[in-house]
Amino acid sequence: MLDNKTVHHIGIAVGLVGLGCWYLLAERLALFSLITELFPESHRGAGLMVAIMVVMTPGFFIWKHYNRWLEKRLNIKGKYYEEGFFKEKGEK
């Protein structure tokens, strides 16, 4: 039987494949081109960057919740950077 760490690594790999599929689906639906075409020719590079940010934001949101669900399910303990970042000074 696999230990929790190994299962966690496999689960993370599955999540990364899912994130890659999210990107490929957006590419197949031509979402990047659609958003990029809204920008003038002189700013197509910036338009592509904005398109990638807009399209991938929901994918990364799903990725975050998938990781948290996986860690909770496998009883993986740890500390999230964002949890400590927003605490008041002196608070533990």
Side-chain angles (χ1 to χ4, degrees), residues 2-14:
L2 299 172
D3 64 335
N4 272 2
K5 252 187 187 176
T6 305
V7 174
H8 181 252
H9 290 312
I10 292 169
I12 294 298
V14 169

Side-chain angles (χ1 to χ4, degrees), residues 3-92:
D3 64 335
N4 272 2
K5 252 187 187 176
T6 305
V7 174
H8 181 252
H9 290 312
I10 292 169
I12 294 298
V14 169
L16 282 172
V17 168
L19 199 55
C21 289
W22 182 274
Y23 175 87
L24 292 174
L25 178 66
E27 182 68 34
R28 180 136 176 115
L29 295 173
L31 294 177
F32 299 122
S33 299
L34 183 70
I35 295 171
T36 303
E37 289 171 3
L38 298 173
F39 287 77
E41 185 66 37
S42 61
H43 292 78
R44 290 291 160 114
L48 179 59
M49 186 170 56
V50 169
I52 292 170
M53 288 188 302
V54 167
V55 169
M56 292 306 292
T57 296
F60 281 111
F61 182 74
I62 293 167
W63 162 259
K64 177 183 100 167
H65 287 289
Y66 167 75
N67 278 336
R68 297 231 174 158
W69 171 83
L70 184 63
E71 290 168 356
K72 185 176 180 181
R73 178 99 169 133
L74 296 174
N75 200 22
I76 303 288
K77 301 290 183 196
K79 190 170 160 181
Y80 295 105
Y81 173 77
E82 63 267 20
E83 290 174 355
F85 186 79
F86 294 106
K87 287 185 178 179
E88 297 292 325
K89 289 185 179 182
E91 187 181 343
K92 287 188 176 188

